[in-house]
Amino acid sequence: MGLTSRALEYATVLAALVCVGLAVWVWPRLARRGPMAVLGRLGVIGATQLTILTAFAVAVNTNFDFYGSWGELLGHVDKAPAEVTALGRSGVHSTVGAVRGGLVQPAGPQGLDRVKGIPHGPAAQAGRVESVKIVGRRSRAVNPAFVYLPPQYFQKQFHRQRFPVMVAISGYPGGIMNLAQYLQVPQTADRLLRAGGIQPTVIVMVRPTIAPPRDTECVNVPGGPQAETFFSKDLPEALKRSYRVGHDPSAWGALGYSSGGTCALQLALRHPGVYTSAAALSADYRISDDLTTGSLFGSGPGAARRQREHDLIWRLDHLPVPRVSVLAASSRSGEKDYVDTMKFLHAVKSPMTSARIILPRGSHHFTTWQREIAPAMRWMSGQLTFPQDTMPSPHRRPTTQAANRPHP
């Protein structure tokens, strides 16, 4: 049974119920004096508590995707390969189902089979959501992901077209299942696209940590996980090699909720040559150590400087302002980040531009973020350029604007 399978969840719940029933049945027989009876009672209590806690832990993990597999739970994770799979001679990028041993590899369902409302039908009419794992060539991280491909991606008139990209990042703890099941990113994208609210866009759903259960906060930890490298270099490289996505920074944006929103803002302000827009729902504007992160910035004289540079309000006051667009969402009542959100927005200055979603009342919860995700995606779609450029023809030299544009 998979760690996130419903079968395992039901089995642990059944085991807990059986243990409770057996405890009720045998307890009168153990209600006597003597060491054996005492040990029996302790054993019954221990077994019952253990099965109940196990059922609870499995149910929470199944619904929030803290650990995606038994290997991940036990610390046995994949190691990134040292080499990159080359493109075919034609230069045409295939979908991930045909890529083996590359930087984007097919994965099992990863819970996608439990998500309701995912578009179904012929890919050219409904699009497709792929379950993959993304391999970081530099960070040596292997991260699960869902990739939404719009119907246009499979249509003949767009067969050489590169598409803009939204990188959707979940909060911590949690994972990609939260983006698909609770925030409903692919379902919202499908609905907006059919209504003309967004342009055709590839959406990549990832979690913010690359070393679970540690919260890496999109930071390069000295001597530890290189999360910032994964998001700023490995992820774009992997997607560009495996999908028809834009190579120009104007094609790339990041959005997220909670710590995923923090990550999106960090990426845009620290790497404007990669991400030119960011949308953050209930984000923090500075990163600090806590029990889940451990020491993110190391020690020594450089630690304070590294932490200060991840304070976004400080960056806007003391460092050159990048030419990016940001959207920040919060609530006047019910969100503890409202004051910092307004400080951040007031600190924005040219050439950076900003937008906001401020609800009168909300909470740090999916009920609030579901109200904000559709307008945030519409806003971001307006920041990204489409059409981007086209794939070179296998039979002739490219004649589009892509021929003269340098690619990273």
Side-chain angles (χ1 to χ4, degrees), residues 89-302:
R89 292 182 180 180
S90 67
V92 177
H93 293 62
S94 62
T95 58
V96 71
V99 180
R100 301 288 175 178
L103 298 182
V104 178
Q105 300 176 7
Q110 302 183 124
L112 189 61
D113 52 338
R114 305 197 309 268
V115 178
K116 297 180 180 180
I118 293 292
H120 290 290
Q125 299 176 16
R128 187 162 71 200
V129 181
E130 297 185 337
S131 177
V132 302
K133 56 183 178 181
I134 297 176
V135 179
R137 187 167 62 88
R138 301 167 185 82
S139 64
R140 302 192 67 80
V142 181
N143 245 15
F146 296 147
V147 180
Y148 167 79
L149 302 171
Q152 291 80 358
Y153 191 91
F154 304 96
Q155 294 172 4
K156 185 176 181 180
Q157 63 268 38
F158 294 98
H159 76 283
R160 290 177 53 226
Q161 190 68 59
R162 288 192 175 110
F163 291 78
V165 182
M166 293 185 196
V167 177
I169 309 171
S170 71
Y172 177 91
I176 55 177
M177 272 289 288
N178 288 359
L179 292 163
Q181 186 169 19
Y182 298 109
L183 198 59
Q184 300 188 336
V185 168
Q187 301 92 320
T188 302
D190 179 66
R191 185 173 67 253
L192 290 173
L193 183 61
R194 294 182 184 280
I198 63 172
Q199 57 194 335
T201 304
V202 172
I203 303 176
V204 185
M205 290 157 271
V206 291
R207 63 189 182 189
T209 179
I210 66 167
R214 185 178 184 180
D215 182 8
T216 49
E217 289 280 350
C218 290
V219 171
N220 278 348
V221 180
Q226 302 296 287
E228 186 171 7
T229 295
F230 176 84
F231 281 97
S232 63
K233 295 181 180 180
D234 290 340
L235 178 63
E237 176 189 47
L239 296 175
K240 290 173 184 177
R241 288 181 179 272
S242 301
Y243 294 100
R244 298 197 321 274
V245 296
H247 285 204
D248 193 88
S250 63
W252 287 75
L255 63 87
Y257 66 89
S258 192
S259 58
T262 304
C263 185
L265 292 174
Q266 294 279 342
L267 290 171
L269 269 69
R270 293 175 61 85
H271 300 278
V274 180
Y275 298 92
T276 55
S277 63
L281 316 181
S282 304
D284 291 323
Y285 300 92
R286 58 183 60 84
I287 294 176
S288 57
D289 294 342
D290 60 30
L291 291 176
T292 64
T293 64
S295 177
L296 292 173
F297 305 103
S299 58

Side-chain angles (χ1 to χ4, degrees), residues 3-4 8-9 12-13 49-67 73:
L3 183 58
T4 60
L8 179 63
E9 182 181 7
T12 55
V13 170
Q49 293 296 316
L50 179 62
T51 55
I52 291 174
L53 289 175
T54 299
F56 177 77
V58 169
V60 169
N61 186 70
T62 300
N63 285 279
F64 292 97
D65 198 28
F66 297 123
Y67 298 94
L73 176 66

